[in-house]
Amino acid sequence: MPDGSEGDVLLQVDDLVKYYPVRRGVVFKRTVGQVRAVDGVSLTLRRGQTLGLVGESGSGKSTLAKLLVGVEAPTSGRILVEGVDVSGMKRAERRRLRRTIQLIFQDPYTSLNPRMSVGEIVGEAFAIHPDAAPKGARTKAVRELLDLVGLNPDHLNRYPHQFSGGQRQRIGIARALAVKPRILICDEPVSALDVSIQGQVINLLEKLQDELGLAYLFIAHDLSVVRHIADQVAVMYLGRTAETGTDVQVFEQTRHPYSRALMSAVPLPDPTLRDTRRPIVLEGEVPSPAAPPSGCRFHTRCWLAPIVAGREGGDGTGVPSVCSTVQPELEQQEASGHLAACHFAADVTSEAVGHD
């Protein structure tokens, strides 16, 4: 694991914001609001490190991925790649940036062009970035990439429908590696695969990281997968970061009630421990990012808020007034040292949730 020096920082995100306007009207459209997809996210990714990003659907994870690879432009905030602010880059400079950061898509069935052969899919990167491989050596480079991800190099003339889901995801990984990136944004890369195949793809990603020194931003719903692969973990809720720290800190020393609810749902491999943990069921739906709750965005579903309100008297609503009026900031926790955005973080008890 990196030693944490500044020279190891590949990606730095500072207070990143992405709002989408909500418009109404057929002929004369007017803006009536905005969807706060990402609302003040900060994170750091170091060389050779895996940062796991978790949260429910609608939390802003995929939007964040699009911002980082340049598919979407941020409303505000900074994205620094190896210390360089990419927000003011011109088109040619952004093209060079894409050689540093590549995206692995969630669905291997729709992310590959069915009319192109595997050789064309993987080799397409060389047409966009000619300096990535000499023209006369591109077929050889494609064969080497297929071999690197565990596919038969002789199958470069086959088409995506001739491969299984796991093999297609390997093709997607080979395509991402073609330009020799230093950062891979993995947007739920195994969620569409069978469980037995998921393990193979995860093992491949770990092998490639060791061999190539890659850094991963690994987005996932499956916390067991994140616990296995991640060095650092960030938990997102409704566009904001709820908690962030090392995998041990977030999983075993949880200090945010939302994170705590997620951890309680992770299956325990040891059957003798399953009766020792009470699962926390969150009630209600995730609020709309177009109209997030005031104060703490989680307070409308928080299991801890009524407990604290009952202890401190409350205001009759079942939620402490500070939770419904004041937005908590990420603050360092005295006991664990990691960051959590909760007014009553000290009241969130933690427990071991299984370890590889």
Side-chain angles (χ1 to χ4, degrees):
M1 188 181 297
D3 61 10
S5 66
E6 289 298 322
D8 282 328
V9 176
L10 290 179
L11 178 67
Q12 180 75 44
V13 176
D14 295 326
D15 201 22
L16 196 63
V17 172
K18 179 61 180 179
Y19 292 169
Y20 295 97
V22 178
R23 296 188 175 95
R24 289 180 182 172
V26 178
V27 179
F28 300 102
K29 293 185 178 295
R30 68 186 192 280
T31 300
V32 296
Q34 50 193 2
V35 175
R36 301 181 180 186
V38 175
D39 197 8
V41 171
S42 299
L43 56 85
T44 300
L45 182 62
R46 302 182 185 278
R47 194 179 313 276
Q49 183 185 76
T50 298
L51 172 61
L53 189 62
V54 301
E56 293 171 282
S57 296
S59 62
K61 305 186 303 299
S62 292
T63 300
L64 179 60
K66 293 175 184 177
L67 293 170
L68 296 181
V69 297
V71 174
E72 298 274 7
T75 303
S76 63
R78 295 194 311 166
I79 302 174
L80 304 176
V81 178
E82 296 183 313
V84 179
D85 190 346
V86 304
S87 58
M89 281 186 171
K90 297 179 181 180
R91 187 172 181 178
E93 294 173 320
R94 284 188 174 276
R95 178 174 293 186
R96 288 194 294 272
L97 169 68
R98 292 192 178 100
R99 289 198 58 178
T100 300
I101 304 178
Q102 284 288 301
L103 177 65
I104 300 175
F105 295 92
Q106 176 179 356
D107 191 350
Y109 295 92
T110 59
S111 61
L112 303 180
N113 190 331
R115 298 184 179 182
M116 296 174 67
S117 69
V118 170
E120 292 170 331
I121 291 171
V122 177
E124 187 178 23
F126 302 140
I128 299 171
H129 303 279
D131 55 335
K135 196 167 185 179
R138 291 178 184 175
T139 299
K140 179 183 177 183
V142 170
R143 293 175 66 89
E144 290 175 348
L145 285 165
L146 293 179
D147 182 63
L148 181 64
V149 299
L151 295 174
N152 189 336
D154 294 332
H155 293 169
L156 78 169
N157 292 319
R158 294 188 177 185
Y159 289 81
H161 73 271
Q162 296 176 284
F163 294 87
S164 67
Q167 290 173 324
R168 294 186 198 192
Q169 196 58 292
R170 290 172 186 264
I171 295 169
I173 294 171
R175 175 177 59 185
L177 293 176
V179 293
K180 300 180 176 63
R182 290 183 287 281
I183 303 169
L184 286 185
I185 309 297
C186 306
D187 190 6
E188 307 224 31
V190 298
S191 63
L193 305 177
D194 293 339
V195 174
S196 60
I197 306 301
Q198 288 183 11
Q200 296 176 17
V201 174
I202 293 297
N203 289 338
L204 171 63
L205 290 172
E206 291 181 320
K207 170 178 171 288
L208 293 172
Q209 186 174 50
D210 291 339
E211 293 180 355
L212 305 177
L214 298 168
Y216 296 148
L217 177 63
F218 193 92
I219 301 171
H221 277 96
D222 191 332
L223 297 181
S224 298
V225 172
V226 172
R227 181 65 192 270
H228 175 77
I229 195 172
D231 305 302
Q232 299 281 324
V233 178
V235 181
M236 285 188 68
Y237 184 79
L238 214 58
R240 293 185 63 82
T241 306
E243 187 165 6
T244 184
T246 67
D247 61 326
V248 173
Q249 288 171 333
V250 173
F251 277 84
E252 298 185 5
Q253 303 172 53
T254 315
R255 287 296 180 269
H256 194 284
Y258 176 62
S259 306
R260 182 70 180 78
L262 294 180
M263 304 312 161
S264 76
V266 178
L268 291 175
D270 186 347
T272 63
L273 297 177
R274 292 173 189 168
D275 293 334
T276 65
R277 185 179 64 187
R278 178 180 62 86
I280 299 172
V281 179
L282 298 180
E283 298 181 356
E285 299 293 330
V286 179
S288 169
S294 60
C296 175
R297 296 189 175 181
F298 185 58
H299 84 261
T300 58
R301 304 173 71 204
C302 184
W303 56 270
L304 180 63
I307 298 174
V308 176
R311 184 188 68 200
E312 300 189 356
D315 57 6
T317 64
V319 175
S321 59
V322 67
C323 296
S324 58
T325 59
V326 180
Q327 180 173 276
E329 299 297 330
L330 278 173
E331 295 181 347
Q332 188 169 5
Q333 302 303 302
E334 184 176 346
S336 61
H338 72 293
L339 303 177
C342 177
H343 295 299
F344 299 97
D347 292 300
V348 182
T349 58
S350 62
E351 63 182 26
V353 292
H355 208 302
D356 291 328

